[in-house]
Amino acid sequence: MTTIPDIARPLAAFVLVFASTASFAAPRLEPTEPNLDIVPRTEAEAARVARVTAAPVGFDAAEPFEARPAGAATVRARSDSNAFSQPSANISFERELEFKVGNGLFRKLWVSSPSSTQGSDGLGPLYNARSCQRCHLKDGRGHPPNGPDDEAVSMFLRISVPAAPNDAMSQIETYLTDIGDDAPRTRPDPVYGGQMQDFGVAGHPAEYRLDITYDEIKVPLSDGEVASLRAPTYGAANLGYGPLGDGAMLSPRVAPQMLGLGLLEAIPAADILTAADPDDADGDGISGKAQIVWSDEFDQPMLGRFGWKAGAPTVKHQSAAAFAGDIGISSPLFAAPAGDCTEAQSDCLVAPHGDGDERITEIDTEGLDLVTFYSRNLAVPARRDEGDPQVLRGKEQFFAAGCAACHTPKFVTHRLIDQPEQSFQLIWPHTDLLLHDMGDGLADNRPEGRANGREWRTAPLWGIGMTETVSGHTYFLHDGRARSLLEAILWHGGEAQAARDTVINMPKPDRDALIRYLESL
């Protein structure tokens, strides 16, 4: 398999141009601007990177630098709910001010238009939350509703319908067709758009109410243990604008944790694609696939990295898309003032918005850049007990079960001229950032880009052991169905089926050690 060149901007603006010897050859896209911000690795550095990112040869002691999963950006592990809200440890005093201003915008409560607080108006008219912080609770992960009276502020449903044969193709669909990708194509729902909003400003009905029911499933484990999983069924009740489109596909999404995003963005694309094996040419049962998305920021196809199906290529793109879809706030990347409202929702389109006068969009370039900087620099806490014998035993089980085949422990980031916080760091995110078939149990049956209805991006594991400390719960996976780390493992299927079965069958002390290892991350 060949790799891809990194182009132009080191802020993760990496075009996905690669050839799979088993499937297709992609046309080469030339860089759109000089590559001025990345210092290329020397041969000696490349050899050094290969050594430090190699798999461990033993499990008797922690590896060098394992206690600092974000390299020099790692911060002390706090024992309170602010553990995920600290700036990179290697940030300068001047840039820490930018971080704090970005934090203010991240927490800012937006209000409807017209309003006397003109710098904060533009909410909705349809929305899921009034601020970024309302979904990403304390910069951690969200949760499903706890009962019928709990508003699903940190969870919503994405929605799409199958593309008709005569639909005009988008830029990314044209590109994917050109390189031979045959993933099913979809369109936003003609009435409800790309995601369903469960709130509306005065005079605008919400689009729906999220309904969830659970069925319990018993899973026998070794040594006489029995685990219980809850299998969810989702529905969109109280539809405010008529029926869903024909063939509508709904996919639940919980807001993910925010830490370490800038470091994930700084991983060389070629290093990510090294593990891509969409046709399982090596026969190991793992067939990671790279997501390809269209970058509105750079106007070209790029490697997807962020979101549950890797639907966003950069932190700025992800931030702007969330402003538009979740809060209804326009930005220089997504300038529609009505957010996700469709032509069928005419009242929403003609409602007052926060642009106009001197404001071209409801959040301007400077504001979006500050939120992006804040999101890039939310620090990863230090490991806890990485040298504890039970943790080391659990680490050995993690590798023996095959978990590391997708949850790649280590990378080294690019040398970045203008991002010293993320530059040339050995990081331990435990993800390959690729799409994997996770089986029928986790399938949402909704394609997104190159991802089919069974495929999800490997979730990073750093910080996962501090979820309860930060967010006050232990709900995991894309929809929060898992109530513990063990339940999350037991939902794995597809490419992860063998690893799941290994965990089920391993002696209880080894299984307990594996969970202890995950809790130390």
Side-chain angles (χ1 to χ4, degrees):
M1 178 175 296
T2 60
T3 58
I4 67 172
D6 292 331
I7 70 160
R9 299 291 297 273
L11 313 183
F14 306 129
V15 66
L16 184 53
V17 183
F18 68 102
S20 168
T21 56
S23 55
F24 58 81
R28 180 174 295 276
L29 298 184
E30 294 301 324
T32 57
E33 59 183 323
N35 188 352
L36 299 176
D37 299 313
I38 297 174
V39 178
R41 291 175 184 167
T42 65
E43 289 187 12
E45 284 178 337
R48 179 183 167 200
V49 168
R51 288 195 301 271
V52 301
T53 57
V57 295
F59 300 94
D60 296 330
E63 296 175 73
F65 312 112
E66 191 172 358
R68 304 178 71 182
T74 307
V75 294
R76 176 179 62 87
R78 297 177 55 149
S79 58
D80 58 30
S81 62
N82 292 313
F84 289 174
S85 299
Q86 304 176 78
S88 301
N90 54 353
I91 199 170
S92 68
F93 177 79
E94 293 78 13
R95 288 163 76 93
E96 187 173 353
L97 177 60
E98 295 179 46
F99 178 89
K100 290 178 178 178
V101 176
N103 182 23
L105 291 170
F106 193 83
R107 299 167 62 91
K108 177 180 186 176
L109 292 174
W110 294 84
V111 297
S112 59
S113 299
S115 171
S116 59
T117 55
Q118 294 184 3
S120 300
D121 68 344
L123 176 68
L126 301 175
Y127 62 97
N128 296 107
R130 290 182 58 197
S131 73
C132 308
Q133 185 78 213
R134 288 286 180 92
C135 286
H136 302 278
L137 309 171
K138 304 296 289 184
D139 303 301
R141 68 184 70 236
H143 61 82
N146 291 314
D149 297 325
D150 184 11
E151 296 175 338
V153 174
S154 56
M155 183 178 188
F156 63 78
L157 294 176
R158 291 215 182 278
I159 182 171
S160 55
V161 297
N166 59 346
D167 283 352
M169 288 196 294
S170 65
Q171 290 168 303
I172 190 61
E173 287 173 332
T174 299
Y175 178 80
L176 293 177
T177 299
D178 287 345
I179 65 174
D181 184 85
D182 59 356
R185 310 298 184 216
T186 65
R187 295 289 180 270
D189 184 274
V191 174
Y192 292 94
Q195 71 186 61
M196 302 199 70
Q197 284 85 20
D198 46 2
F199 296 100
V201 302
H204 295 268
E207 289 186 326
Y208 82 120
R209 188 192 74 242
L210 176 62
D211 269 2
I212 312 175
T213 57
Y214 294 102
D215 293 319
E216 292 289 329
I217 301 173
K218 300 297 183 183
V219 180
L221 308 176
S222 65
D223 296 345
E225 273 196 299
V226 178
S228 181
L229 306 183
R230 55 177 191 173
T233 300
Y234 297 97
N238 297 352
L239 292 173
Y241 298 86
L244 305 178
D246 293 340
M249 297 166 278
L250 301 174
S251 180
R253 304 293 172 86
V254 164
Q257 62 187 25
M258 295 286 294
L259 73 168
L261 299 185
L263 294 164
L264 296 177
E265 190 180 50
I267 298 171
D271 291 356
I272 295 171
L273 291 193
T274 296
D277 186 15
D279 299 302
D280 193 19
D282 60 8
D284 67 352
I286 307 298
S287 52
K289 182 168 67 179
Q291 177 67 286
I292 308 175
V293 297
W294 189 263
S295 169
D296 292 275
E297 186 178 356
F298 296 100
D299 196 32
Q300 62 188 26
M302 287 175 55
L303 172 66
R305 299 175 187 241
F306 302 105
W308 290 106
K309 297 209 176 195
T314 65
V315 175
K316 179 181 283 189
H317 184 116
Q318 176 75 3
S319 300
F323 269 118
D326 301 350
I327 314 178
I329 297 299
S330 60
S331 71
L333 286 189
F334 300 101
D340 191 46
C341 291
T342 67
E343 293 183 2
Q345 296 168 322
S346 56
D347 288 346
C348 179
L349 294 180
V350 301
H353 301 293
D355 56 357
D357 297 327
E358 297 182 1
R359 294 175 69 192
I360 299 174
T361 56
E362 290 159 335
I363 187 168
D364 59 14
T365 298
E366 182 181 16
L368 182 59
D369 285 346
L370 286 165
V371 170
T372 301
F373 183 80
Y374 171 75
S375 300
R376 279 198 185 111
N377 282 285
L378 283 164
V380 180
R383 287 279 305 279
R384 285 86 52 215
D385 303 321
E386 71 280 356
D388 179 89
Q390 187 184 31
V391 170
L392 291 171
R393 182 179 181 182
K395 179 181 178 181
E396 184 175 11
Q397 301 308 315
F398 183 86
F399 278 85
C403 304
C406 299
H407 290 283
T408 305
K410 294 176 281 184
F411 288 96
V412 172
T413 61
H414 270 300
R415 283 196 184 276
L416 305 176
I417 297 297
D418 59 351
Q419 287 183 248
E421 301 85 5
Q422 288 83 43
S423 180
F424 208 57
Q425 301 297 319
L426 171 63
I427 62 172
W428 306 66
H430 288 78
T431 175
D432 60 7
L433 295 178
L434 297 174
L435 301 170
H436 293 277
D437 183 334
M438 296 300 293
D440 289 334
L442 289 178
D444 67 349
N445 301 310
R446 176 184 174 271
E448 181 179 325
R450 297 188 77 207
N452 64 36
R454 292 164 52 102
E455 291 175 324
W456 300 91
R457 183 204 66 161
T458 305
L461 297 182
W462 52 11
I464 197 167
M466 300 189 73
T467 297
E468 187 169 15
T469 297
V470 173
S471 302
H473 64 75
T474 56
Y475 297 137
F476 301 106
L477 301 177
H478 67 281
D479 56 0
R481 70 177 67 185
R483 295 162 293 191
S484 67
L485 290 171
L486 178 60
E487 285 188 32
I489 294 170
L490 296 178
W491 274 110
H492 284 48
E495 296 174 46
Q497 183 72 39
R500 170 193 181 271
D501 292 347
T502 298
V503 174
I504 286 176
N505 295 317
M506 67 176 50
K508 184 179 185 304
D510 287 345
R511 194 163 50 242
D512 291 344
L514 172 63
I515 298 303
R516 178 82 189 283
Y517 170 67
L518 295 175
E519 290 173 344
S520 79
L521 296 179

